[in-house]
Amino acid sequence: MAPDHPVYRLILDRALSGSHPEVRRDKYKLGLVIEGGAMRGVVSAGMVAGLESLGLRRVFDVVYGASAGAFNGAYFLAGQAAFGTTIYYENLNTKNFINFWRLFQGKPVVNLEYVLKKVLVEEKPLHWPSVLNSPIPLKIVVSSLKMLKPVLLSGFQNKEELFEALYATAKMPWLTGGPVEIGGDLFLDAGLFQSIPVFAALEDGCTHMLILLTRPQGSRRKKSSLWDKYLFAPLINRWQKGLGDCYLRMPDTYNECLSFIHQKEKDQKQGPFLISLSLPADYPPLSRLEKNAELLRRAAAESQNLVCRILQNRL
């Protein structure tokens, strides 16, 4: 999509005019929408690192993150996007995070506690006060079991509330264990209902959105497998009746969201205005449990370069 799209124009106008989130001269609400996808989140991490390198954080009014995208958004708002990108190929691609042998011990394959208690605190410390005090709010999408719908968590008052929301948005069924309880509700990974938090941003009043996708351009999710239908869905229904059906609809929900994005991208006359960034269609897709450091590092670099190529020459 050409850099004269309304979203790009707003980004560049704000950047060149010195616009600040607390003092805007325009009437628009620009959201940064960040997809996750576990280890595939290295792609959107590289993209926010690109935005950071161009000094574009202040052009956004709000950041929406789903799953790993929420972690990337937190590092971005803390001014640590490039630093945060390294966690994928230096910390998360290890047995500390992903270990299939845990299945034989009755434990989850993916250890989220390691991320929240070690990586974000000791190994690659997230400067969480900067996230809490940012004039640009971080809004984290989670899946509510009580309401069977996506919910936005925001307005975090302390580290515990922020980390609790990050924990909930990344709680993938089976891979990370059961749901997380917050305020009388149970929550799971954002991907059950909204892997790409576009509709959450629309409902929140965004007039413009820059959407960071982690699958290559044109990619679609495959239909649910027989394992999903006859094993995982019935088991998930034990947590909440109807949740299994939502689980089976995940591919369709995701693909419908992509179709909506691509349809809206073409409409440059009537808002809300959306534009997405993704790696080229021929780029090898990453697994959400990818552990190869070189593949992850390359994806981060390619994603950062993509953002810079599109926006740098216009600044």
Side-chain angles (χ1 to χ4, degrees):
M1 194 72 65
D4 62 350
H5 188 278
V7 174
Y8 289 144
R9 286 203 302 269
L10 180 59
I11 290 173
L12 299 171
D13 287 347
R14 285 183 171 184
L16 295 174
S17 67
S19 179
H20 189 275
E22 294 179 309
V23 184
R24 295 289 189 210
R25 297 178 182 176
D26 59 64
K27 59 184 178 180
Y28 306 117
K29 184 174 182 178
L30 173 60
L32 179 62
V33 175
I34 312 175
E35 183 185 8
M39 297 300 286
R40 207 172 58 246
V42 71
V43 174
S44 54
M47 290 177 179
V48 293
L51 293 172
E52 179 178 82
S53 71
L54 297 175
L56 293 177
R57 184 171 65 250
R58 60 183 170 81
V59 306
F60 297 100
D61 297 302
V62 59
V63 172
Y64 303 90
S67 190
F71 288 77
N72 298 340
Y75 276 106
F76 179 60
L77 291 177
Q80 300 175 292
F83 181 56
T85 301
T86 66
I87 71 174
Y88 290 93
Y89 48 81
E90 293 181 357
N91 305 88
L92 304 187
N93 62 322
T94 66
K95 290 183 179 180
N96 291 326
F97 183 55
I98 302 171
N99 188 346
F100 286 95
W101 286 105
R102 292 198 194 101
L103 285 173
F104 298 101
Q105 302 171 328
K107 298 179 181 179
V109 171
V110 176
N111 184 1
L112 278 181
E113 284 78 8
Y114 164 68
V115 184
L116 274 298
K117 296 179 181 179
K118 294 289 290 186
V119 178
L120 269 66
V121 176
E122 299 177 10
E123 298 176 3
K124 298 290 172 63
L126 170 69
H127 194 262
W128 55 266
S130 295
V131 181
L132 299 185
N133 297 324
S134 173
I136 307 167
L138 174 64
K139 300 193 176 185
I140 297 176
V141 182
V142 294
S143 295
S144 165
L145 273 63
K146 185 176 182 180
M147 295 180 281
L148 291 180
K149 60 182 283 189
V151 172
L152 276 181
L153 300 180
S154 62
F156 311 112
Q157 298 299 308
N158 50 52
K159 172 190 171 184
E160 288 69 31
E161 289 185 5
L162 172 62
F163 277 40
E164 193 173 47
L166 290 171
Y167 186 57
T169 191
K171 259 290 189 172
M172 297 176 286
W174 309 120
L175 288 176
T176 60
V180 179
E181 183 176 358
I182 303 176
D185 199 351
L186 295 174
F187 297 103
L188 282 170
D189 182 86
L192 274 168
F193 297 107
Q194 208 165 135
S195 295
I196 312 167
V198 169
F199 297 115
L202 287 173
E203 291 176 6
D204 201 38
C206 281
T207 61
H208 296 66
M209 275 180 258
L210 179 65
I211 304 163
L212 309 182
L213 302 177
T214 58
R215 285 182 167 88
Q217 188 175 13
S219 296
R220 292 291 187 272
R221 283 196 58 170
K222 297 179 181 179
K223 294 287 186 180
S224 297
S225 68
L226 292 177
W227 285 102
D228 291 325
K229 184 175 181 179
Y230 293 108
L231 177 60
F232 296 127
L235 289 173
I236 289 177
N237 267 330
R238 295 180 181 179
W239 292 336
Q240 178 66 42
K241 184 178 180 181
L243 188 62
D245 292 333
C246 298
Y247 177 78
L248 293 176
R249 284 199 299 268
M250 282 172 61
D252 290 335
T253 301
Y254 183 87
N255 294 336
E256 288 166 5
C257 181
L258 281 181
S259 296
F260 174 80
I261 292 170
H262 297 325
Q263 179 183 2
K264 287 297 296 180
E265 283 180 320
K266 300 174 183 177
D267 185 359
Q268 300 187 31
K269 295 182 179 179
Q270 183 176 357
F273 301 106
L274 285 64
I275 195 75
S276 65
L277 295 177
S278 56
L279 289 171
D282 60 353
Y283 194 92
L286 295 172
S287 162
R288 62 177 177 168
L289 297 180
E290 181 61 64
K291 295 177 70 173
N292 185 295
E294 184 54 37
L295 291 179
L296 294 165
R297 186 179 286 107
R298 179 191 168 201
E302 291 286 345
S303 302
Q304 180 171 347
N305 291 337
L306 173 72
V307 170
C308 292
R309 282 198 307 271
I310 291 174
L311 294 172
Q312 190 170 33
N313 292 335
R314 305 283 296 186
L315 295 174

